[in-house]
Protein backbone atom coordinates (compact mmCIF):
# COMPACT_ATOMS: atom_id res chain seq x y z
CA UNK A 1 0.00 0.00 0.00
CA UNK A 2 2.98 2.28 0.38
CA UNK A 3 2.94 3.03 -3.35
CA UNK A 4 -0.83 3.03 -3.88
CA UNK A 5 -1.02 6.82 -3.86
CA UNK A 6 -0.07 9.20 -6.65
CA UNK A 7 3.65 8.69 -6.05
CA UNK A 8 5.81 8.34 -9.14
CA UNK A 9 8.01 5.28 -9.69
CA UNK A 10 10.95 7.33 -8.43
CA UNK A 11 9.04 8.25 -5.30
CA UNK A 12 7.98 4.66 -4.63
CA UNK A 13 11.53 3.39 -4.91
CA UNK A 14 12.82 6.09 -2.61
CA UNK A 15 10.13 5.27 -0.01
CA UNK A 16 10.88 1.55 -0.22
CA UNK A 17 14.59 2.21 0.16
CA UNK A 18 13.97 4.24 3.32
CA UNK A 19 11.79 1.46 4.73
CA UNK A 20 14.40 -1.20 3.97
CA UNK A 21 17.07 0.97 5.56
CA UNK A 22 15.06 1.25 8.79
CA UNK A 23 14.59 -2.52 8.82
CA UNK A 24 18.29 -3.07 8.19
CA UNK A 25 19.24 -0.87 11.13
CA UNK A 26 16.95 -2.74 13.52
CA UNK A 27 17.88 -6.16 12.06
CA UNK A 28 21.58 -6.07 11.06
CA UNK A 29 21.38 -9.37 9.17
CA UNK A 30 19.02 -7.88 6.60
CA UNK A 31 20.51 -6.03 3.63
CA UNK A 32 18.76 -3.19 1.85
CA UNK A 33 18.13 -4.66 -1.65
CA UNK A 34 17.88 -1.17 -3.16
CA UNK A 35 21.60 -0.77 -2.43
CA UNK A 36 22.30 -3.63 -4.87
CA UNK A 37 20.88 -1.73 -7.82
CA UNK A 38 23.44 -0.57 -10.41
CA UNK A 39 24.97 2.79 -9.48
CA UNK A 40 23.58 4.55 -12.55
CA UNK A 41 20.04 3.48 -11.63
CA UNK A 42 20.47 4.50 -8.01
CA UNK A 43 21.84 7.86 -9.14
CA UNK A 44 18.62 8.51 -11.04
CA UNK A 45 16.08 7.05 -8.63
CA UNK A 46 17.65 7.54 -5.21
CA UNK A 47 18.92 11.10 -5.37
CA UNK A 48 20.10 12.32 -1.99
CA UNK A 49 19.31 15.77 -0.68
CA UNK A 50 22.93 16.80 -0.20
CA UNK A 51 23.31 20.30 -1.58
CA UNK A 52 26.88 21.74 -1.40
CA UNK A 53 25.40 25.22 -1.72
CA UNK A 54 23.88 24.79 1.75
CA UNK A 55 26.83 23.08 3.42
CA UNK A 56 29.38 25.20 5.34
CA UNK A 57 33.12 24.89 4.74
CA UNK A 58 36.39 26.61 5.62
CA UNK A 59 36.30 29.53 3.19
CA UNK A 60 39.97 30.55 3.22
CA UNK A 61 43.25 28.71 3.48
CA UNK A 62 44.07 30.88 6.46
CA UNK A 63 41.28 29.13 8.35
CA UNK A 64 42.46 25.74 7.03
CA UNK A 65 45.93 26.42 8.44
CA UNK A 66 44.51 27.58 11.76
CA UNK A 67 42.50 24.39 12.16
CA UNK A 68 45.48 22.25 11.14
CA UNK A 69 47.70 23.91 13.73
CA UNK A 70 45.00 23.67 16.43
CA UNK A 71 44.59 19.89 16.20
CA UNK A 72 46.45 18.41 19.18
CA UNK A 73 47.83 15.17 17.67
CA UNK A 74 50.16 14.80 14.70
CA UNK A 75 48.12 11.86 13.41
CA UNK A 76 44.96 13.97 13.45
CA UNK A 77 46.84 16.64 11.52
CA UNK A 78 47.79 13.99 8.97
CA UNK A 79 44.23 12.76 8.53
CA UNK A 80 43.03 16.35 8.25
CA UNK A 81 45.68 17.23 5.65
CA UNK A 82 44.87 14.18 3.48
CA UNK A 83 41.25 15.28 3.47
CA UNK A 84 41.64 19.01 2.92
CA UNK A 85 44.59 18.84 0.47
CA UNK A 86 43.68 15.62 -1.42
CA UNK A 87 39.90 15.38 -1.06
CA UNK A 88 39.96 12.01 0.71
CA UNK A 89 37.09 10.65 2.72
CA UNK A 90 38.04 10.13 6.40
CA UNK A 91 37.77 6.35 6.01
CA UNK A 92 40.11 6.51 2.99
CA UNK A 93 42.70 8.68 4.74
CA UNK A 94 42.86 6.30 7.71
CA UNK A 95 43.57 3.37 5.36
CA UNK A 96 46.33 4.95 3.23
CA UNK A 97 49.74 3.28 3.53
CA UNK A 98 53.12 4.62 2.51
CA UNK A 99 53.22 1.91 -0.17
CA UNK A 100 50.29 3.71 -1.83
CA UNK A 101 52.24 6.97 -2.14
CA UNK A 102 54.74 7.79 -4.90
CA UNK A 103 56.45 11.07 -4.10
CA UNK A 104 58.47 11.04 -7.33
CA UNK A 105 55.38 10.79 -9.52
CA UNK A 106 53.38 12.80 -6.99
CA UNK A 107 50.46 10.37 -6.84
CA UNK A 108 48.45 8.56 -4.19
CA UNK A 109 46.67 5.31 -5.00
CA UNK A 110 43.42 5.18 -3.05
CA UNK A 111 42.37 1.54 -3.05
CA UNK A 112 40.56 0.87 0.24
CA UNK A 113 38.83 2.41 3.22
CA UNK A 114 38.40 1.53 6.88
CA UNK A 115 35.05 -0.03 7.76
CA UNK A 116 32.58 1.68 10.09
CA UNK A 117 33.74 -0.27 13.15
CA UNK A 118 37.40 0.50 12.52
CA UNK A 119 38.34 -3.19 12.57
CA UNK A 120 39.42 -3.79 8.98
CA UNK A 121 39.63 -2.30 5.51
CA UNK A 122 37.17 -2.84 2.69
CA UNK A 123 36.75 -1.89 -0.96
CA UNK A 124 35.98 1.72 -1.78
CA UNK A 125 32.47 3.08 -2.04
CA UNK A 126 32.88 3.21 -5.83
CA UNK A 127 34.15 -0.42 -5.91
CA UNK A 128 37.31 0.61 -7.77
CA UNK A 129 40.53 2.37 -6.85
CA UNK A 130 41.60 5.79 -8.10
CA UNK A 131 44.86 7.70 -8.34
CA UNK A 132 44.93 11.32 -7.15
CA UNK A 133 47.67 13.93 -7.56
CA UNK A 134 49.82 15.17 -4.71
CA UNK A 135 49.47 18.94 -4.79
CA UNK A 136 52.25 21.23 -3.61
CA UNK A 137 50.34 21.89 -0.41
CA UNK A 138 50.53 18.21 0.59
CA UNK A 139 53.89 17.32 -0.93
CA UNK A 140 55.93 19.22 1.64
CA UNK A 141 54.09 17.55 4.49
CA UNK A 142 54.35 14.04 3.03
CA UNK A 143 58.09 14.39 2.65
CA UNK A 144 58.45 15.38 6.30
CA UNK A 145 56.15 12.60 7.49
CA UNK A 146 57.99 9.96 5.44
CA UNK A 147 61.28 10.95 7.03
CA UNK A 148 59.67 10.60 10.45
CA UNK A 149 58.11 7.20 9.72
CA UNK A 150 60.68 5.62 7.47
CA UNK A 151 58.05 5.19 4.78
CA UNK A 152 56.41 2.08 6.27
CA UNK A 153 52.92 1.21 7.44
CA UNK A 154 49.91 3.48 7.72
CA UNK A 155 50.33 7.20 7.13
CA UNK A 156 47.75 7.99 9.83
CA UNK A 157 49.08 5.76 12.58
CA UNK A 158 46.52 4.85 15.27
CA UNK A 159 47.06 5.10 19.04
CA UNK A 160 48.10 1.99 20.97
CA UNK A 161 45.37 -0.62 21.12
CA UNK A 162 43.71 0.38 17.84
CA UNK A 163 44.15 -0.94 14.31
CA UNK A 164 43.17 2.43 12.82
CA UNK A 165 42.60 5.98 14.04
CA UNK A 166 39.19 6.01 15.82
CA UNK A 167 36.49 8.01 14.06
CA UNK A 168 35.19 9.62 17.25
CA UNK A 169 38.62 10.94 18.26
CA UNK A 170 38.97 13.02 15.11
CA UNK A 171 35.44 14.42 15.31
CA UNK A 172 35.77 15.35 19.00
CA UNK A 173 39.14 17.07 18.69
CA UNK A 174 38.05 18.97 15.58
CA UNK A 175 34.97 20.24 17.39
CA UNK A 176 37.16 21.54 20.22
CA UNK A 177 39.50 23.22 17.74
CA UNK A 178 36.67 24.94 15.88
CA UNK A 179 35.22 26.29 19.11
CA UNK A 180 38.61 27.55 20.29
CA UNK A 181 39.19 29.29 16.94
CA UNK A 182 35.68 30.80 16.89
CA UNK A 183 34.98 28.93 13.64
CA UNK A 184 32.26 26.65 14.95
CA UNK A 185 28.88 26.79 13.18
CA UNK A 186 25.97 24.37 12.67
CA UNK A 187 26.80 21.63 10.20
CA UNK A 188 30.56 22.24 10.17
CA UNK A 189 32.21 18.93 11.06
CA UNK A 190 35.06 16.75 9.78
CA UNK A 191 33.68 16.10 6.28
CA UNK A 192 32.81 19.76 5.76
CA UNK A 193 36.23 20.95 6.97
CA UNK A 194 38.17 18.51 4.79
CA UNK A 195 36.76 16.86 1.66
CA UNK A 196 34.00 19.43 1.17
CA UNK A 197 36.41 22.32 1.77
CA UNK A 198 38.86 20.84 -0.76
CA UNK A 199 36.15 20.61 -3.43
CA UNK A 200 34.82 24.08 -2.68
CA UNK A 201 38.22 25.80 -2.78
CA UNK A 202 39.13 23.89 -5.95
CA UNK A 203 36.09 25.23 -7.78
CA UNK A 204 36.49 28.71 -6.30
CA UNK A 205 40.02 28.73 -7.74
CA UNK A 206 38.60 28.11 -11.23
CA UNK A 207 39.90 24.55 -11.61
CA UNK A 208 38.60 21.74 -13.82
CA UNK A 209 35.33 20.14 -12.76
CA UNK A 210 36.30 16.90 -14.56
CA UNK A 211 39.55 16.63 -12.63
CA UNK A 212 37.68 17.28 -9.41
CA UNK A 213 35.30 14.44 -10.27
CA UNK A 214 38.26 12.08 -10.63
CA UNK A 215 39.96 13.24 -7.44
CA UNK A 216 36.79 12.87 -5.36
CA UNK A 217 35.86 9.55 -6.97
CA UNK A 218 32.38 10.62 -8.03
CA UNK A 219 30.85 8.12 -10.43
CA UNK A 220 28.96 10.88 -12.25
CA UNK A 221 29.92 14.44 -13.19
CA UNK A 222 26.39 15.42 -12.19
CA UNK A 223 27.35 14.93 -8.54
CA UNK A 224 30.50 17.02 -8.92
CA UNK A 225 28.66 19.80 -10.75
CA UNK A 226 26.70 20.51 -7.59
CA UNK A 227 29.73 22.67 -6.72
CA UNK A 228 29.25 24.81 -9.84
CA UNK A 229 27.62 27.57 -7.79
CA UNK A 230 31.10 28.43 -6.48
CA UNK A 231 32.06 30.20 -9.68
CA UNK A 232 35.17 32.36 -9.08
CA UNK A 233 33.47 35.33 -10.73
CA UNK A 234 31.08 35.44 -7.79
CA UNK A 235 33.91 36.57 -5.49
CA UNK A 236 36.05 39.67 -5.24
CA UNK A 237 39.75 39.89 -6.09
CA UNK A 238 40.53 39.97 -2.37
CA UNK A 239 38.64 36.72 -1.84
CA UNK A 240 40.51 35.00 -4.64
CA UNK A 241 43.84 36.24 -3.33
CA UNK A 242 42.98 34.75 0.07
CA UNK A 243 42.41 31.39 -1.62
CA UNK A 244 45.89 31.36 -3.10
CA UNK A 245 44.65 30.88 -6.65
CA UNK A 246 47.89 31.86 -8.36
CA UNK A 247 49.46 28.94 -10.23
CA UNK A 248 53.03 29.92 -9.41
CA UNK A 249 52.53 30.47 -5.68
CA UNK A 250 55.14 28.88 -3.46
CA UNK A 251 54.58 26.55 -0.52
CA UNK A 252 55.65 28.02 2.80
CA UNK A 253 55.32 26.17 6.09
CA UNK A 254 54.41 27.83 9.35
CA UNK A 255 57.05 27.71 12.04
CA UNK A 256 55.50 25.24 14.45
CA UNK A 257 58.13 22.53 14.28
CA UNK A 258 58.85 19.70 11.85
CA UNK A 259 55.77 17.99 10.57
CA UNK A 260 53.37 20.43 12.20
CA UNK A 261 53.50 23.41 9.84
CA UNK A 262 50.59 23.78 7.43
CA UNK A 263 51.46 25.02 3.91
CA UNK A 264 50.27 28.53 3.24
CA UNK A 265 48.73 28.04 -0.20
CA UNK A 266 47.33 25.40 -2.50
CA UNK A 267 49.54 25.98 -5.52
CA UNK A 268 50.06 24.53 -8.98
CA UNK A 269 46.79 22.64 -9.03
CA UNK A 270 46.65 20.36 -12.08
Amino acid sequence: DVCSSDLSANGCLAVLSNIFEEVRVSHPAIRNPCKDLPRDIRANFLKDDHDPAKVPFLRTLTDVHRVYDALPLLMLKRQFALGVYAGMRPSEARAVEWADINLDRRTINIARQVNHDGTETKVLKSKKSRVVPILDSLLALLREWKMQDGGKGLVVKPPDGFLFMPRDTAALELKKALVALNLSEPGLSWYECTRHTFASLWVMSGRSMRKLQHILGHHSIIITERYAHLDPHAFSDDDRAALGSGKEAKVVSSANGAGNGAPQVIANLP
Side-chain angles (χ1 to χ4, degrees), residues 58-70:
L58 301 176
R59 290 189 168 272
T60 70
L61 286 175
T62 297
D63 287 340
V64 170
H65 307 150
R66 292 174 64 206
V67 172
Y68 179 97
D69 288 335

Side-chain angles (χ1 to χ4, degrees), residues 81-139:
L82 289 172
V84 78
Y85 295 133
M88 292 189 198
R89 298 177 177 92
S91 58
E92 295 171 344
R94 297 200 304 275
V96 169
E97 300 180 1
W98 282 110
D100 301 317
I101 298 176
N102 189 319
L103 293 180
D104 293 329
R105 295 184 178 180
R106 296 183 59 162
T107 59
I108 302 176
N109 182 43
I110 304 175
R112 59 198 165 275
Q113 61 186 5
V114 177
N115 68 355
H116 185 78
D117 297 329
T119 56
E120 60 183 357
T121 58
K122 62 179 183 178
V123 297
L124 297 178
K125 182 178 179 180
S126 63
K127 306 300 182 185
K128 56 184 179 181
S129 63
R130 68 185 188 277
V131 176
V132 302
I134 298 175
L135 308 184
D136 285 358
S137 308
L138 185 58
L139 182 63

Side-chain angles (χ1 to χ4, degrees), residues 72-91:
L73 303 175
L74 177 57
M75 294 308 153
L76 290 181
K77 294 177 185 288
R78 291 188 180 189
Q79 182 176 322
F80 179 81
L82 289 172
V84 78
Y85 295 133
M88 292 189 198
R89 298 177 177 92
S91 58

Side-chain angles (χ1 to χ4, degrees), residues 134-259:
I134 298 175
L135 308 184
D136 285 358
S137 308
L138 185 58
L139 182 63
L141 291 177
L142 286 174
R143 284 174 172 165
E144 291 181 0
W145 300 344
K146 188 173 184 179
M147 291 182 62
Q148 296 169 0
D149 294 355
K152 296 181 180 179
L154 293 169
V155 176
V156 181
K157 299 187 183 303
D160 293 340
F162 293 88
L163 295 175
F164 304 97
M165 177 64 70
R167 297 169 65 248
D168 294 341
T169 299
L172 178 62
E173 295 300 335
L174 176 66
K175 182 177 181 180
K176 293 179 181 177
L178 292 175
V179 171
L181 297 171
N182 199 29
L183 292 174
S184 180
E185 61 176 293
L188 188 62
S189 59
W190 191 274
Y191 163 78
E192 290 78 18
C193 286
T194 55
R195 182 174 164 88
H196 179 61
T197 290
F198 172 87
S200 300
L201 296 185
W202 177 283
V203 175
M204 291 172 72
S205 296
R207 307 300 173 179
S208 165
M209 198 72 71
R210 283 290 181 183
K211 290 180 180 178
L212 178 61
Q213 176 194 0
H214 172 78
I215 292 173
L216 296 181
H218 289 161
H219 72 279
S220 170
I221 189 64
I222 295 175
I223 297 176
T224 314
E225 286 177 343
R226 292 184 294 186
Y227 287 93
H229 67 285
L230 292 171
D231 187 296
H233 298 294
F235 298 88
S236 68
D237 290 341
D238 288 341
D239 290 329
R240 286 191 289 276
L243 292 171
S245 58
K247 291 185 178 181
E248 301 303 322
K250 296 181 179 179
V251 175
V252 182
S253 295
S254 58
N256 287 342

Side-chain angles (χ1 to χ4, degrees), residues 4-74:
S4 61
S5 65
D6 294 330
L7 282 177
S8 64
N10 293 17
C12 286
L13 189 55
V15 170
L16 288 173
S17 178
N18 289 335
I19 293 174
F20 277 125
E21 194 63 23
E22 291 182 6
V23 173
R24 185 194 65 77
V25 171
S26 59
H27 300 80
I30 298 176
R31 177 174 174 78
N32 182 350
C34 293
K35 300 297 184 181
D36 294 322
L37 291 170
R39 288 184 64 85
D40 56 343
I41 294 178
R42 285 192 285 126
N44 291 328
F45 285 93
L46 301 178
K47 294 183 174 67
D48 61 49
D49 57 1
H50 173 67
D51 181 2
K54 300 178 182 178
V55 180
F57 61 95
L58 301 176
R59 290 189 168 272
T60 70
L61 286 175
T62 297
D63 287 340
V64 170
H65 307 150
R66 292 174 64 206
V67 172
Y68 179 97
D69 288 335
L71 292 172
L73 303 175
L74 177 57

